[in-house]
């Protein structure tokens, strides 16, 4: 199950893509029963859909789904940023800034998949620094649902450059110990990403 989830989170499996039980069995060297149980769990988590009389497919997110997800993301991640500023130890702070440098290099490369992988690592460090395992668990599920939307946002126009600059501002606020300022900048970052993914005008700060 974890292998399939990671394929979706990384963007290697795209929204609407059908999952072949036979191919998954061969690729993962497991039984059909194991694949079916994994699919039922992933359906419960929202990663895939299993329409009646059809095989499983990666969940397609509607515009309203996207708005709901970004709204939840805003609340979750802004809280995480505040906790990180207040709780992260020096080693984890250094790790976040290093992850940021990797992320910026990925953004400069223009490779969407590389950007998504770098973002996933950045978030792993961010949530580790909160010291809240429940928050980190919820974030992992959320980011899986957002994988396709993130790819859509980053593939549009100058969004990768703007995203990079926004995250740099957030890191500067974190370095300054400004938890509310960092959370406010992160809120605008998420709203800009949502507007880009949905093809809407950015929400004013």
């Amino acid at each position: 199950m974890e292998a399939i989830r990671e394929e979706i989170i990384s963007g290697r499996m795209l929204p609407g893509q059908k999952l072949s039980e036979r191919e998954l069995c061969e690729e993962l060297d497991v039984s059909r029963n194991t694949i079916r149980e994994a699919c039922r769990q992933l359906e419960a988590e929202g990663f895939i859909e299993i329409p009646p009389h059809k095989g499983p497919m990666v969940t397609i997110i509607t515009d309203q789904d996207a708005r709901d997800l970004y709204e939840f993301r805003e609340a979750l991640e802004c809280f995480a940023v505040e906790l990180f500023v207040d709780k992260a130890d020096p080693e984890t702070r250094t790790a976040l800034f290093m992850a940021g440098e990797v992320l910026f290099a990925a953004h400069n490369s223009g490779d969407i998949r590389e950007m998504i992988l770098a973002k996933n690592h950045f978030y792993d460090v961010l949530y580790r620094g909160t010291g809240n395992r429940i928050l980190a668990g919820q974030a992992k599920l959320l980011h899986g649902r957002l994988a396709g939307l993130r790819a859509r946002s980053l593939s549009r126009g100058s969004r990768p450059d703007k995203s990079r600059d926004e995250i740099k501002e957030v890191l500067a606020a974190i370095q300054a110990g400004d938890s509310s300022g960092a959370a406010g900048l992160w809120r605008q970052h998420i709203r800009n990403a949502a507007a880009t993914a949905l093809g809407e005008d950015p929400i004013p700060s």
Side-chain angles (χ1 to χ4, degrees):
M1 182 178 70
E2 189 65 29
I4 301 172
R5 186 191 288 113
E6 290 302 322
E7 289 280 303
I8 297 172
I9 291 174
S10 69
R12 288 189 289 272
M13 287 184 176
L14 300 174
Q17 180 175 332
K18 293 182 179 179
L19 280 64
S20 165
E21 286 187 359
R22 180 180 58 79
E23 291 177 3
L24 289 171
C25 288
E26 292 175 357
E27 179 184 345
L28 302 175
D29 192 25
V30 295
S31 69
R32 280 184 180 267
N33 285 339
T34 299
I35 292 297
R36 288 170 182 167
E37 179 60 34
C39 285
R40 283 193 289 270
Q41 179 62 37
L42 291 169
E43 182 184 30
E45 294 175 3
F47 285 95
I48 68 171
E49 299 172 352
I50 308 178
H53 313 300
K54 295 183 180 180
M57 59 183 281
V58 180
T59 298
I60 296 174
I61 299 174
T62 66
D63 283 355
Q64 187 55 54
D65 291 335
R67 291 186 181 94
D68 292 345
L69 285 167
Y70 275 113
E71 188 175 76
F72 180 56
R73 178 188 173 192
E74 183 178 315
L76 193 73
E77 292 188 6
C78 289
F79 180 46
V81 167
E82 289 183 329
L83 283 180
F84 186 94
V85 174
D86 294 338
K87 292 187 173 183
D89 57 36
E91 182 180 351
T92 309
R93 287 173 180 268
T94 298
L96 186 69
F97 295 127
M98 291 176 64
E101 292 301 320
V102 173
L103 177 57
F104 303 147
H107 276 238
N108 292 337
S109 75
D111 186 318
I112 302 301
R113 183 167 292 179
E114 187 177 337
M115 291 182 214
I116 291 173
L117 290 173
K119 275 184 175 291
N120 289 340
H121 175 60
F122 181 87
Y123 283 118
D124 285 344
V125 179
L126 174 68
Y127 281 98
R128 186 168 75 242
T130 68
N132 189 314
R133 289 180 295 177
I134 294 175
L135 188 65
Q138 290 299 310
K140 184 165 184 141
L141 294 176
L142 173 65
H143 288 167
R145 300 290 304 278
L146 284 166
L149 290 169
R150 186 174 292 140
R152 188 196 305 177
S153 175
L154 290 171
S155 65
R156 291 183 173 172
S158 60
R159 182 58 199 158
D161 291 341
K162 291 178 180 177
S163 177
R164 178 198 60 214
D165 294 342
E166 290 163 7
I167 294 172
K168 284 184 177 181
E169 290 182 347
V170 173
L171 288 175
I174 289 175
Q175 190 167 29
D178 182 2
S179 59
S180 62
L185 288 167
W186 197 261
R187 179 173 295 105
Q188 191 60 39
H189 169 66
I190 293 170
R191 292 181 178 183
N192 290 342
T196 303
L198 290 164
E200 300 173 345
D201 292 331
I203 300 172
S205 55

